Amino acid sequence: RSFGDLLLKEAERYDCAGVAPGGLVISAPEIRVVDLEPRQDRFLVLASDGVWDVISSEDAVSICAAQATPELAAQTLLRRTYASNSDDNITALVLSWKAVV
């Protein structure tokens, strides 16, 4: 994480007893490499943990696939996340590409 939550990143500076330095929030991203199949894969969803805490990958795909545009897909996903009472920051980006014929 590069922004926000300074208290969680440097808890030892703020008198949080019993917390190891850097013990609450890590800055190492979760990375997964996936080969996309443009003939089969329609879009890519990038979202923060506030989304994934309350929405499963399968539900996110269903929500986004039902929308006409990537913008509407992201907005709908965020609305569903908010309605699911996520208690974290929520951010989502949906990328799409033209189908290869």
Side-chain angles (χ1 to χ4, degrees):
R1 296 177 77 163
S2 60
F3 302 109
D5 293 336
L6 186 59
L7 174 63
L8 297 177
K9 288 185 208 173
E10 299 178 356
E12 66 279 3
R13 289 184 55 196
Y14 297 93
D15 297 322
C16 294
V19 177
L24 295 176
V25 175
I26 60 169
S27 60
E30 179 181 322
I31 298 174
R32 192 177 333 169
V33 177
V34 178
D35 292 327
L36 297 177
E37 295 291 335
R39 294 176 194 263
Q40 182 178 358
D41 299 319
R42 294 176 38 204
F43 54 86
L44 173 68
V45 178
L46 301 172
S48 64
D49 60 338
V51 174
W52 303 125
D53 286 345
V54 296
I55 303 287
S56 70
S57 297
E58 294 80 9
D59 286 344
V61 168
S62 296
I63 292 165
C64 293
Q67 308 310 313
T69 66
E71 293 86 0
L72 189 55
Q75 290 171 0
T76 304
L77 182 60
L78 292 175
R79 285 190 185 105
R80 178 75 66 86
T81 300
Y82 185 75
S84 297
N85 296 315
S86 177
D87 60 357
D88 203 345
N89 297 326
I90 57 174
T91 303
L93 173 66
V94 179
L95 302 170
S96 69
W97 46 87
K98 292 186 178 191
V100 176
V101 184

